[in-house]
Amino acid sequence: MRRTSARFTLTGAAAASAVALAVIGANTASSSTATQLEPAVAAAAAPIGFGAGTTGGAGGSTVTVTTASAFKTAVQSSATQIVRVNGTIALTEMTKVASNKTVVGVGTAGKITGSGLNIASVSNVIIQNLTFTGSNDDAINVQYSTKVHIDHNDISGAYDGAVDIKRSSTNISVSWNRTHNQDKNMLLGHSDDNSSEDTGKLKVTYDHNWFDGTNQRNPRVRFGNPVHVLNNYFSNVGSYGVASTENAGVLVEGNYFENTDDPYHLGEGSSDAGSLVAKNNYFVNSGSGQTGGSVASIPYSYTAQSASTVKATVTAGAGVGKI
């Protein structure tokens, strides 16, 4: 034990650009003074894995925001809505996002800085194509929520976590994100003492993310079983990649590990070991990892990409401006 601090086939970068949901410009109401409608934004392919079925603001109205005040009004509205972010939104505190929302950046222009987004006690939320920098807390926090898709974002420099998921949240997919310049990256389950809320929940699919020099928690898992870490690219990871603790069950499958001494292990800090099964991963100048125990069956159909091709696919398709 280490003690330290729906069916799919994806081939090549073209998969990252698959379009399944279009935001219709004719329904756009802009918060700026522009008199012409801006081009529509397209969302990437629908989420696979545990977050499948998340639709966000599809079917609702569309609004484009350029200021923090307009952003807060839009994301906290009770209406089903697509919120297009065009410009830098400077936040001073964690900002709650209401249910049935898609919050999506326009091209590479959508940026959130200063603080992050709080997805708390809600359902059916998509956070997509946004650059998060320098949050004074988490970049994205998810708690007491279900049906969440966090997709194609670029996240760096958060004071706490890049994407933290906790407090009985479940049915979530975290896909095609690039995280970098980040110590504590992705936490799943916040406390060893929270088994009563978290057991049977915290079911998350992490697919096609680029963990680019992140130090730890890629992810660090408590209680969730199964958790699926599928076809991600781990490059130059510092302390460790994946940790399974506190009765968690993690399947680490088809990932590409490069320059990562400790790709995965059991136990972390004062947390007891969970279970971890590794399958068909690819290693370049990396350790072999630690496995043990059994993991519940993945309850959805999928086809894993060959691990040796994951680096090329993920570096071409992860992050902003790729949808």
Side-chain angles (χ1 to χ4, degrees):
M1 184 182 302
R2 187 178 187 277
R3 301 293 190 185
T4 67
S5 49
R7 188 173 181 86
F8 68 103
T9 302
L10 296 171
T11 304
S17 301
V19 175
L21 172 65
V23 177
I24 306 302
N27 292 331
T28 300
S30 176
S31 65
S32 68
T33 58
T35 56
Q36 292 183 336
L37 297 179
E38 297 180 34
V41 173
I48 59 90
F50 285 113
T54 304
T55 58
S61 61
T62 300
V63 60
T64 299
V65 298
T66 60
T67 66
S69 59
F71 176 82
K72 291 178 182 179
T73 296
V75 300
Q76 293 173 357
S77 165
S78 61
T80 299
Q81 195 167 56
I82 297 164
V83 181
R84 304 166 73 243
V85 180
N86 191 9
T88 299
I89 305 299
L91 301 175
T92 58
E93 60 185 1
M94 295 294 288
T95 298
K96 186 171 180 179
V97 178
S99 294
N100 305 312
K101 293 288 183 297
T102 296
V103 186
V104 57
V106 175
T108 59
K111 300 178 181 180
I112 307 291
T113 189
S115 198
L117 302 184
N118 194 21
I119 303 170
S121 302
V122 296
S123 178
N124 196 33
V125 172
I126 297 173
I127 306 297
Q128 192 170 67
N129 199 46
L130 291 166
T131 298
F132 292 83
T133 58
S135 174
N136 56 12
D137 198 321
D138 298 329
I140 301 172
N141 173 69
V142 182
Q143 60 185 37
Y144 297 120
S145 294
T146 187
K147 293 181 64 178
V148 178
H149 187 203
I150 298 169
D151 176 71
H152 276 98
N153 301 291
D154 185 290
I155 304 173
S156 64
Y159 176 77
D160 196 3
V163 178
D164 283 2
I165 300 170
K166 58 195 181 185
R167 295 188 182 277
S168 73
S169 295
T170 200
N171 294 334
I172 296 167
S173 292
V174 180
S175 62
W176 296 99
N177 302 284
R178 178 183 175 231
T179 53
H180 55 102
N181 299 105
Q182 190 67 39
D183 176 18
K184 296 177 287 186
N185 195 30
M186 295 188 182
L187 180 68
L188 181 56
H190 74 292
S191 172
D192 294 352
D193 299 324
N194 209 50
S195 62
S196 61
E197 282 190 332
D198 289 344
T199 299
K201 305 293 181 62
L202 300 181
K203 294 182 179 180
V204 179
T205 301
Y206 297 89
D207 75 277
H208 293 87
N209 299 288
W210 182 2
F211 303 128
D212 184 6
T214 51
N215 191 46
Q216 58 179 315
R217 302 184 181 181
N218 302 285
R220 184 200 199 279
V221 183
R222 295 177 172 96
F223 303 114
N225 187 10
V227 172
H228 201 184
V229 180
L230 173 70
N231 288 152
N232 302 280
Y233 174 43
F234 296 73
S235 63
N236 305 299
V237 169
S239 179
Y240 68 89
V242 182
S244 179
T245 78
E246 298 298 331
N247 296 313
V250 185
L251 176 60
V252 179
E253 179 177 10
N255 300 281
Y256 191 119
F257 293 94
E258 185 169 21
N259 301 326
T260 299
D261 289 341
D262 182 2
Y264 41 81
H265 64 248
L266 307 176
E268 178 58 30
S270 61
S271 300
D272 292 329
S275 295
L276 189 148
V277 171
K279 180 179 178 182
N280 299 331
N281 297 290
Y282 188 79
F283 302 89
V284 176
N285 193 33
S286 296
S288 57
Q290 179 189 22
T291 62
S294 61
V295 176
S297 297
I298 301 299
Y300 48 82
S301 297
Y302 67 97
T303 300
Q305 180 179 342
S306 174
S308 63
T309 67
V310 163
K311 175 180 178 178
T313 299
V314 169
T315 54
V320 299
K322 307 295 179 66
I323 60 173

